[in-house]
Amino acid sequence: MNEEIKTLTISIYTENNIGLLNRISAIFQRRHINIESLTTSQSEIDGVNRFVIVVNITESQAKKIVGQFEKQVEVIRAYYHKDEETIYTESCMFKIKSALLFEEPQIQNIIKDSNARIVTVNKEFFVLEKSGRRNEIESLHRDLNVFGIMQFVRAGRIAVTKDEMKITEMLQAFNNHNN
Amino acid sequence: MNNTQTANKKQEVAQETMRITGSEAIIRCLIAEGVDILYGYPGGAIMPVYDELYKFRDQIHHVLTRHEQGAAHAAQGYARISGRVGVAIATSGPGATNLVTGIADAQIDSTPVVCITGQVFSHLLGTDAFQETDIIGISTPVTKWNHQITKAADIPEVLAKAFYIAKSGRPGPVLIDITKDAQVSELDFKYEKCKGVRSYIPIPKTNPETLSAAAELINSAKKPLIVWGQGVILGQAENELKAIIEKAGIPAAWTILGASAIPTSHELNVGMVGMHGNYAPNMLTNECDVLIAIGMRFDDRVTGSLNTYAKQAKIIHFDIDPAEIDKNVKTDVAVLGDSKDSLSRLLPLLNENKHADWLQKFKDLYAIEFEKVIKDDIFPTKEGLTMGEVLKQINIETKGNAAIVSDVGQHQMIACRYAEFTTTKSNITSGGLGTMGFALPAAIGAKMAAPDREVVAIIGDGGYQMNIQELGTIFQQKAAVKIVVLNNEFLGMVRQWQQLFFDKRYASTEMTNPDFVTIAKGYYIEGKRVTKREELADAVKEMIASKESYFLEVCVEKEGNVFPMIPSGASVSEVRLS
């Protein structure tokens, strides 16, 4: 039975504690699951962090590892979502020689067409920032690469779900129970 | 919270605030949690705590093991027989890393243990200071929870949380690492037991619909089979399980850690499942129509090949840990919750039943196993002592009331197969991790937790030498542990595999052993060596009659094998009898 491997987004709501990243990454490591991208930040709830992790795995693998995440004492709740269930984006930055802006007028069209934003310009270089889907970023990378890129960096996916998460209500229930 | 509630809550905090050092706070936390015995080993980074222990020695007894691994296993033995939290303590660096095997063992066998390690001063963290090691990083994958304390003020809350997490829900080991500056600086101490952690749900809610669905399947089953695990013992659900199997007339088998929850002699107790389990429950796993798994986790040593495991059966899984559901075996009905609660709610939903024909099948297969395996194991006629006949003699002398602490290997499987249990929490062994060296220190912990019980450690000549230094602890503590070494001068289980699957190439499994009796006597422990069948009964009698610790070496046949056996990765119904 060969189940289809999908790109899945895993959301893990956690207490904001040192060392939790180790526990989470160890769960992937033991199962030889490669993390495509990982973002962690404060969530919509005060004092609660959210990990957003993109992996290519089957849904049954996802169900099992979500169970393993939830088993961790400091994990409040974990979920997995298919791409169509989320609204997601990634962002990236390009550092490019300033001279190219003038020598290669085509670059200006690329910037305009891609909806990229110039963050800063100085005599030596300028920096572009672009947010969007992975394929848009890759396309921009391909277009700019022809002219030479001094530095490129892409941040992990951030995602929100189309459906309600109900995590806030759950936390309120927790808090009431503990009081 | 209104004012009255606040006032009540304050009253629960029995202790007034006092200004004390972190190390004194640690001891006061332990006392508040009811800890009366600690197993450990001192060293530089934990010395302030030891200094306080000296002051509190009338309230907490510290057991100096001869190795930190011994301390961790002793704490496990204490926890397993008592159901209480075992505590081990060690210094930083090597002291901490030596605990890790015991911690990993406790994790996979769901044993409540709190380990406290000293750590270098917080300003030295990350500098590769003397005896500094990242024990939090090292222990993360093998602890239920761990935490490093760098401020004295955090000690009461973190230790309260540690005990709560270790013993609640599915129990497990917790490690708390405490820097030396946190031990020596002062705090305003008061202690309040932890009653909950926001992000942690120890016991999931039981859905009544799943109970009804389970009852319906069980009531309509023609060939139901229960396989219970340690979850029954951890949940104190032994009576509930017994009531269920008796009311519904269901044959019930056990995993290695489930052993002793129901007396061996119970007519519906059909034996052990798994690699060296009994013939009938293994064979009939692939014939039952409903398999009811209770507090067990479908370990690969139990299931063999998952592709063929109970494929014909509807599977009902009772477990406290949601992550176990569908992890290995896909279930039809999953009942989450505490085993005592779930089983007591299931009982009234079940119809009375007998399943006489189905039960007869177990009896018929047992007769085959008896003829082909058991008879020669426990009533041997040929030369050479068998491990099984040693167990038979121990059963006779202890009347099945002993706690059997077994190490890992052939003797473990023989002990679990043949030990007769009348009382729950009597089978203490390293199930999931399979840790050689477990039994001798675990037996110390078990005996100290239950001094009125007979504790018999059954150990192979290999595993014995992995923690043989704990004889010193036994002697110093006057722990009246009975030690039986079944000596076949081999790492027997590996040798058995080499014989069966590696063309008898006995690579590094033969052992040239020392004079074990002389070693025991060197530790002032009385001992005897038995080489002949006619000496065995009297020697076992003398050992059990002894009021002190006693060492018995039995020289068993060198190349005895443990059967039945399911070869690794084979189906449970491919169980071999020879």
Side-chain angles (χ1 to χ4, degrees):
Chain A
M1 196 172 62
N2 283 331
E3 211 186 328
E4 189 192 349
I5 291 175
K6 295 175 182 164
T7 299
L8 298 173
T9 304
I10 292 171
S11 284
I12 311 173
Y13 285 86
T14 73
E15 301 290 354
N16 183 11
N17 281 2
I18 292 172
L20 196 52
L21 178 60
N22 255 355
R23 284 193 178 270
I24 287 170
S25 64
I27 288 167
F28 289 109
Q29 188 190 338
R30 279 179 74 184
R31 290 159 185 78
H32 283 232
I33 296 170
N34 191 36
I35 294 174
E36 299 299 317
S37 87
L38 183 151
T39 308
T40 176
S41 72
Q42 189 190 317
S43 72
E44 63 272 25
I45 307 146
D46 273 351
V48 173
N49 269 27
R50 182 173 175 181
F51 288 75
V52 178
I53 304 169
V54 180
V55 284
N56 293 322
I57 52 176
T58 64
E59 274 198 73
S60 39
Q61 275 180 303
K63 273 182 201 153
K64 286 180 193 177
I65 60 169
V66 160
Q68 296 298 326
F69 292 130
E70 291 199 335
K71 194 169 159 168
Q72 305 306 313
V73 169
E74 284 149 340
V75 168
I76 297 164
R77 193 49 78 87
Y79 306 88
Y80 76 89
H81 316 281
K82 289 176 253 184
D83 279 356
E84 57 269 28
E85 294 165 346
T86 64
I87 294 165
Y88 60 92
T89 187
E90 290 179 5
S91 63
C92 69
M93 291 170 93
F94 298 87
K95 181 175 159 184
I96 297 166
K97 276 186 186 163
S98 293
L100 290 171
L101 261 184
F102 309 104
E103 290 163 14
E104 302 284 353
Q106 178 62 12
I107 283 191
Q108 293 184 20
N109 290 335
I110 292 170
I111 295 169
K112 203 167 65 185
D113 293 346
S114 66
N115 289 321
R117 188 170 70 88
I118 296 177
V119 180
T120 187
V121 186
N122 64 31
K123 275 199 283 187
E124 306 299 322
F125 61 84
F126 69 100
V127 175
L128 279 181
E129 185 270 336
K130 157 85 188 151
S131 292
R133 292 289 173 96
R134 172 71 64 97
N135 59 349
E136 296 173 65
I137 291 171
E138 281 173 355
S139 160
L140 179 59
H141 186 275
R142 268 194 308 274
D143 292 346
L144 293 172
N145 209 24
V146 179
F147 307 103
I149 299 168
M150 293 166 76
Q151 284 182 34
F152 168 71
V153 63
R154 185 171 60 214
R157 173 185 290 196
I158 52 172
V160 290
T161 56
K162 291 178 183 169
D163 287 342
E164 199 184 349
M165 293 285 265
K166 297 198 171 159
I167 184 95
T168 312
E169 288 164 37
M170 207 181 71
L171 273 171
Q172 269 166 358
F174 267 136
N175 288 337
N176 292 339
H177 177 74
N178 288 336
N179 289 337
Chain B
M1 261 194 311
N2 61 35
N3 288 341
T4 323
Q5 283 174 317
T6 313
N8 289 341
K9 190 134 188 162
K10 278 188 179 152
Q11 278 174 5
E12 285 172 26
V13 185
Q15 299 193 36
E16 287 177 17
T17 303
M18 54 176 114
R19 187 84 184 155
I20 55 174
T21 62
S23 47
E24 184 175 343
I26 293 166
I27 308 301
R28 287 189 181 276
C29 293
L30 296 177
I31 291 169
E33 289 293 341
V35 176
D36 52 3
I37 299 179
L38 293 179
Y39 299 90
Y41 207 104
I46 196 75
M47 277 182 66
V49 174
Y50 271 83
D51 193 50
E52 287 299 332
L53 272 172
Y54 187 75
K55 196 163 90 190
F56 284 90
R57 63 189 183 280
D58 293 341
Q59 290 177 66
I60 293 195
H61 178 60
H62 178 267
V63 177
L64 174 67
T65 56
R66 298 310 192 251
H67 189 287
E68 290 86 352
Q69 189 186 345
H73 291 324
Q76 287 180 275
Y78 176 97
R80 288 276 295 274
I81 202 166
S82 67
R84 299 170 64 196
V85 177
V87 183
I89 179 167
T91 192
S92 62
T97 56
N98 282 345
L99 290 174
V100 171
T101 301
I103 295 172
D105 195 291
Q107 170 82 342
I108 199 161
D109 281 353
S110 307
T111 308
V113 169
V114 168
C115 292
I116 295 170
T117 50
Q119 182 55 279
V120 300
F121 282 91
S122 54
H123 71 270
L124 293 174
L125 284 170
T127 66
D128 301 328
F130 176 68
Q131 292 195 328
E132 186 203 356
T133 192
D134 174 16
I135 194 63
I136 293 297
I138 290 170
S139 66
T140 291
V142 291
T143 46
K144 185 174 173 187
W145 186 65
N146 62 6
H147 190 85
Q148 185 173 64
I149 298 176
T150 56
K151 290 185 189 70
D154 295 342
I155 287 171
E157 192 185 341
V158 173
L159 280 184
K161 206 171 151 185
F163 277 86
Y164 174 73
I165 291 169
K167 69 188 170 196
S168 58
R170 182 176 182 172
V174 170
L175 182 138
I176 305 299
D177 192 39
I178 309 175
T179 59
K180 204 165 175 181
D181 47 319
Q183 296 170 40
V184 296
S185 55
E186 291 191 335
L187 72 154
D188 292 320
F189 177 82
K190 64 170 183 176
Y191 195 73
E192 193 175 355
K193 282 196 180 184
C194 178
K195 296 191 185 73
V197 175
R198 180 173 75 167
S199 51
Y200 168 57
I201 307 166
I203 303 172
K205 264 195 192 150
T206 310
N207 177 350
E209 284 173 20
T210 60
L211 274 170
S212 312
E216 199 175 315
L217 272 181
I218 295 168
N219 286 335
S220 60
K222 299 277 181 272
K223 298 175 177 179
L225 171 63
I226 284 176
V227 179
W228 88 79
Q230 194 192 196
V232 170
I233 297 172
L234 293 169
Q236 301 176 332
E238 294 92 342
N239 290 337
E240 288 74 10
L241 174 62
K242 191 159 163 278
I244 280 171
I245 66 172
E246 286 173 356
K247 183 177 182 187
I250 304 174
W254 36 277
T255 70
I256 188 167
L257 291 189
S260 84
I262 287 185
T264 320
S265 58
H266 194 288
E267 65 164 350
L268 288 163
N269 181 339
V270 293
M272 179 165 80
V273 291
M275 186 174 269
H276 293 286
N278 291 101
Y279 189 50
N282 276 326
M283 287 296 288
L284 296 177
T285 293
N286 281 356
E287 201 181 314
C288 66
D289 56 358
V290 176
L291 179 72
I292 307 135
I294 305 172
M296 58 82 85
R297 59 189 178 86
F298 293 108
D299 176 64
D300 58 282
R301 280 291 195 270
V302 163
T303 63
S305 165
L306 284 172
N307 296 331
T308 53
Y309 183 78
K311 286 293 173 200
Q312 77 297 338
K314 295 278 185 196
I315 309 275
I316 305 170
H317 193 175
F318 288 79
D319 211 287
I320 199 166
D321 181 355
E324 290 300 342
I325 306 300
D326 294 340
K327 188 182 85 176
N328 296 330
V329 171
K330 183 88 184 134
T331 56
D332 295 280
V333 178
V335 185
L336 289 174
D338 165 71
S339 57
K340 192 178 186 75
D341 175 59
S342 303
L343 296 186
S344 62
R345 287 161 67 186
L346 177 71
L347 183 65
L349 306 178
L350 295 184
N351 298 338
E352 285 194 25
N353 216 326
K354 289 282 183 215
H355 300 296
D357 293 347
W358 172 233
L359 192 61
Q360 188 57 44
K361 288 200 163 197
F362 288 85
K363 290 178 180 164
D364 294 345
L365 289 174
Y366 178 79
I368 294 171
E369 184 181 343
F370 185 85
E371 202 52 42
K372 294 201 168 166
V373 179
I374 299 172
K375 196 167 74 175
D376 288 340
D377 273 354
I378 62 176
F379 304 107
T381 47
K382 60 178 191 220
E383 209 182 328
L385 281 157
T386 66
M387 299 188 192
E389 65 185 310
V390 181
L391 259 299
K392 179 189 69 184
Q393 285 303 330
I394 292 170
N395 288 335
I396 291 169
E397 293 303 328
T398 63
K399 300 179 179 62
N401 294 324
I404 301 291
V405 186
S406 54
D407 211 76
V408 171
Q410 285 182 315
H411 64 280
Q412 176 191 32
M413 293 298 119
I414 292 289
C416 291
R417 283 177 54 77
Y418 296 124
E420 285 170 8
F421 296 113
T422 58
T423 315
T424 188
K425 298 195 184 79
S426 291
N427 181 51
I428 298 166
T429 194
S430 168
L433 202 66
T435 305
M436 288 174 70
F438 171 87
L440 193 61
I444 298 170
K447 184 68 190 176
M448 297 184 89
D452 297 335
R453 293 203 63 189
E454 190 69 70
V455 174
V456 182
I458 295 174
I459 316 179
D461 47 316
Y464 186 51
Q465 293 176 84
M466 281 200 176
N467 271 319
I468 196 168
Q469 75 287 346
E470 298 307 336
L471 290 173
T473 313
I474 290 173
F475 161 62
Q476 185 172 356
Q477 296 297 327
K478 299 185 171 53
V481 171
K482 309 296 165 62
I483 308 153
V484 180
V485 167
L486 300 178
N487 183 1
N488 56 12
E489 298 178 325
F490 266 115
L491 300 176
M493 188 58 94
V494 183
R495 188 211 55 75
Q496 177 171 339
W497 282 50
Q498 288 171 331
Q499 180 189 338
L500 299 175
F501 311 118
F502 291 86
D503 202 21
K504 281 196 173 184
R505 289 146 65 89
Y506 293 166
S508 296
T509 42
E510 196 160 10
M511 295 201 110
T512 304
N513 287 322
D515 180 342
F516 288 130
V517 173
T518 299
I519 289 174
K521 288 189 171 165
Y523 282 101
Y524 307 101
I525 294 169
E526 194 54 50
K528 189 166 266 181
R529 182 169 198 249
V530 167
T531 55
K532 295 190 185 79
R533 184 159 294 136
E534 51 272 27
E535 302 164 343
L536 180 66
D538 283 348
V540 172
K541 197 182 194 77
E542 184 179 328
M543 173 181 78
I544 299 300
S546 170
K547 299 284 178 220
E548 295 171 357
S549 58
Y550 191 99
F551 173 77
L552 179 65
E553 176 188 4
V554 183
C555 300
V556 295
E557 55 182 343
K558 284 193 72 169
E559 297 186 44
N561 285 337
V562 188
F563 284 107
M565 180 180 192
I566 300 166
S568 186
S571 166
V572 284
S573 48
E574 292 175 64
V575 51
R576 290 173 54 168
L577 289 169
S578 60

